[in-house]
Amino acid sequence: MTDFFKGLTPAKYEGPESTNPLAFRHYNPDEIVLGKPMKEHLRFAVAYWHSFAWEGGDPFGGRTFDRPWFGGDMDDARLKADVAFELFTLLDAPYFCFHDADVRPEGESYAKSVKRLNKLADIFEEKIAETGTKLLWGTANLFSNRRFMSGAATNPDPDVFAYAAATIKANMDVTHRLGGENYVLWGGREGYETLLNTRVGQEMDQMARMLSMVVDYKHKIGFEGAILIEPKPQEPAKHQYDYDVSTVYGFLKKYGLEKEVKVNIEVGHAILAGHTFEHEVAMASAHGIFGSIDMNRNDYQSGWDTDQFPNNVPEVALAYYHILKAGGFTTGGTNFDSKLRRQSIDPEDLLHGHIGGMDTCARGLKAAAAIIEDGTYDKFLEERYAGWNGKEAQAMLKGERSLEEIAARVETDDLDPQPRSGRQEYLENLINRFV
Ligand code: XLS
Ligand code: NI
Ligand code: NI
C-alpha cells in the first residue's frame, strides 16, 4: 500500500438516506435490476489518463496537482500503477482503461517505448490477478507526441503512418495479453486544421487501410474483444473524420468494415457534434454498431470537452434506456474518461468524482429500468407505429410494391391520411415520472 489515499476506506453502499459523502447512495453492485446485478449492467471502468496522468493545467497555467509520481521515470510509473489500483479497489470498480502514454514514460526510440510498455503490462498482469480489476479497453495515444501533429494514420508522411501502425500493434498485443475486452481507436489528430493543405480522400483511404490492418491483426492473434472507434467531431483537430456515429457508420460501410468495428460513444463528443448523447446511442443501435460508452460530459457553458463526471440523472436515464433497448453491453461498459477540475487537488476529490458519477449512472439505470417495467412508454411507441403491421404496409416495406402500384392504391382507395398528435409534452411528463 502507498500512503496516497491514507485514511480513506473502500466506498460502500449505504442507501439513499446516507449523508456520508464517501458512500454510494444508489450504486448497489449486487442489486438486481431487470434480472441482472447492477454491476453487470453498468460495467464501470476508471480511466487512467484523467485520474492519474492529467496534471491540472489549462491554456493559461500549468500543473495544479502535486502527485508523487510526476517525476516521469519508471519508478514513478510503478508508483502511479500502485495508486491507480488502490483507487480501483477503493471504488470496487470492475474495470479500468489506459493509453500507452498514460502508464509508461516515452522511451528514446520506438523499441524502448515498447519495452517500457511491456514492463508496465507485467506489473498490470500481477495487479489484475491480485485485485480482480479487469481491463475494459486499451488504446494507443496517437495524438500527444509532436510526431503525430499532422495525424497518425492520416499523416502525409508514410513513416508516421508506419510508426502509428507499429504503436497500435504494441498496444493491441498488451491489451490482448491483459485480457482486455475491447480495443479503442480515437482519432484526435485524424482530421485537419485547414482544408488548404489536406487531401481528404487520400487521408480517409489511409485511415481505412490502418483500420483494416487492425481488424486483420485482431483475427490473427485471436483477440476476441471488439474493435471500437470513438467518434468526435473536432478538438483537437478543427475537423475530425470520425465526426459522429452516423459518419463513422458511413465510413465503415464504404470500406466494408461495418461488421468488424463498433463505436465507443462519449457524452461530451455527442454534444460537440450537435446531438444528444441518447441520439448517438440510438443511432449506433439502429446501425448495429453499438459497443461501449465514455460517460463524461462537457461543461455546457464553456462548450469544451471538459470530461467531467456525469451528474444529470435525466440525461443519463435516457441513455441507459436506449442501451437497455439495444440489449445492454456485451463487451462494452461505462468508462469514466473523466477529469477532476483543476482546483480539486486532494486525493479525496478523486473519490468524490467517481462516487458521484457512479451514483448518477446507477440512478439513471434504475430510472430506465422503471420506464421499461412500467411499459407505458414502450406501448406508446408500439401504437404510434402500429399501422406498419398491416398487410399493405408490410408489403411496401419489404419492397413488394412499386411507386406505380402504391399510386394506384392511393387513388382507388381515395386515401386521405389524417395527422395525429406526436404528444411530445405528454411523453416528457411521462418520462419525468421516473427520473
Ligand atoms: C478525448 C477522448 C479520449 C479517448 C481515448 O476526447 O475522449 O480520451 O476516450 O483516447
Ligand atoms: Ni473518450
Ligand atoms: Ni473526450
Side-chain angles (χ1 to χ4, degrees):
M1 279 292 273
T2 72
D3 64 358
F4 186 73
F5 289 113
K6 62 175 171 297
L8 298 172
T9 49
K12 293 266 172 287
Y13 172 73
E14 292 183 5
E17 303 310 322
S18 171
T19 55
N20 174 1
L22 290 175
F24 292 113
R25 289 185 292 131
H26 305 278
Y27 179 56
N28 184 11
D30 296 313
E31 186 178 321
I32 303 294
V33 175
L34 294 177
K36 196 159 97 173
M38 222 186 244
K39 64 178 178 211
E40 288 175 27
H41 279 289
L42 293 163
R43 295 165 58 86
F44 285 125
V46 177
Y48 216 92
W49 49 108
H50 291 323
S51 294
F52 306 106
W54 143 249
E55 300 185 345
D58 72 9
F60 301 91
R63 180 187 290 184
T64 57
F65 301 155
D66 184 19
R67 308 296 195 219
W69 56 85
F70 278 175
D73 62 22
M74 282 301 273
D75 288 338
D76 294 316
R78 164 96 226 191
L79 173 63
K80 179 160 56 170
D82 288 340
V83 171
F85 276 79
E86 284 168 17
L87 179 69
F88 308 155
T89 306
L90 285 172
L91 294 167
D92 193 19
Y95 291 98
F96 75 112
C97 301
F98 71 90
H99 304 83
D100 48 0
D102 310 331
V103 302
R104 57 101 184 102
E106 176 105 12
E108 304 87 66
S109 64
Y110 167 77
K112 287 189 178 141
S113 290
V114 173
K115 206 167 154 218
R116 290 177 168 186
L117 177 63
N118 288 334
K119 182 82 204 88
L120 261 298
D122 294 342
I123 295 172
F124 284 173
E125 211 162 23
E126 280 167 30
K127 289 186 174 294
I128 288 172
E130 239 167 67
T131 62
T133 310
K134 296 180 284 180
L135 179 61
L136 186 66
W137 46 264
T139 187
N141 179 326
L142 302 175
F143 42 89
S144 295
N145 192 288
R146 63 196 290 274
R147 79 172 64 85
F148 299 120
M149 71 177 191
S150 309
T154 60
N155 204 290
D157 179 351
D159 284 353
V160 178
F161 178 96
Y163 200 103
T167 306
I168 292 173
K169 179 197 171 290
N171 279 276
M172 288 178 76
D173 287 341
V174 159
T175 302
H176 185 40
R177 159 145 83 102
L178 296 177
E181 300 190 20
N182 305 271
Y183 184 82
V184 165
L185 298 131
W186 170 63
R189 306 277 174 200
E190 312 293 26
Y192 60 78
E193 292 303 321
T194 172
L195 198 48
L196 289 173
N197 67 12
T198 306
R199 285 183 171 165
V200 290
Q202 157 140 7
E203 292 201 358
M204 286 192 293
D205 286 349
Q206 289 177 206
M207 209 161 86
R209 184 89 296 281
M210 185 73 84
L211 192 56
S212 301
M213 292 192 297
V214 165
V215 167
D216 289 346
Y217 192 62
K218 162 194 149 135
H219 292 302
K220 192 174 288 169
I221 62 178
F223 176 66
E224 281 172 11
I227 302 294
L228 304 175
I229 286 190
E230 186 173 321
K232 187 175 183 182
Q234 71 269 114
E235 202 201 320
K238 171 191 163 69
H239 175 91
Q240 284 162 205
Y241 299 126
D242 297 329
Y243 199 91
D244 61 2
V245 166
S246 284
T247 308
V248 167
Y249 182 73
F251 174 86
L252 294 175
K253 190 90 187 154
K254 173 175 179 193
Y255 294 99
L257 293 165
E258 76 278 10
K259 299 258 183 303
E260 295 282 0
V261 180
K262 294 179 178 166
V263 282
N264 180 42
I265 310 170
E266 181 164 314
V267 180
H269 300 184
I271 305 296
L272 279 177
H275 305 306
T276 60
F277 181 50
E278 63 269 21
H279 163 96
E280 288 291 79
V281 175
M283 284 311 232
S285 153
H287 292 312
I289 55 168
F290 175 69
S292 197
I293 62 172
D294 279 0
M295 195 49 123
N296 32 286
R297 66 184 165 97
N298 297 352
D299 178 295
Y300 291 145
Q301 272 73 50
S302 76
W304 297 326
D305 182 13
T306 53
D307 291 322
Q308 291 173 250
F309 297 87
N311 68 351
N312 183 329
V313 178
E315 263 181 22
V316 167
L318 286 175
Y320 281 117
Y321 170 82
H322 286 283
I323 291 171
L324 289 170
K325 290 308 259 187
F329 294 122
T330 52
T331 62
T334 304
N335 173 46
F336 287 109
D337 169 348
S338 299
K339 275 182 187 165
L340 292 177
R341 301 302 83 205
R342 76 194 295 271
Q343 297 177 46
S344 304
I345 58 176
D346 293 342
E348 189 175 308
D349 293 317
L350 278 167
L351 286 170
H352 288 298
H354 284 89
I355 290 170
M358 289 161 83
D359 257 353
T360 301
C361 290
R363 284 177 79 180
L365 174 76
K366 282 198 273 189
I371 293 170
I372 292 172
E373 273 166 342
D374 170 78
T376 313
Y377 173 56
D378 285 334
K379 192 154 161 264
F380 169 89
L381 281 175
E382 203 57 57
E383 281 167 6
R384 188 159 194 245
Y385 290 89
W388 282 100
N389 300 331
K391 206 173 133 255
E392 270 307 308
Q394 280 295 308
M396 286 196 294
L397 202 57
K398 288 187 186 139
E400 294 160 9
R401 295 287 182 274
S402 66
L403 276 186
E404 309 92 282
E405 286 165 336
I406 295 174
R409 179 170 65 88
V410 170
E411 204 174 317
T412 344
D413 294 0
D414 194 15
L415 282 196
D416 181 18
Q418 296 302 307
R420 285 191 298 159
S421 172
R423 304 184 76 192
Q424 181 170 339
E425 296 75 6
Y426 159 77
L427 290 172
E428 285 170 351
N429 297 347
L430 172 67
I431 296 299
N432 274 344
R433 268 174 42 207
F434 300 94
V435 297

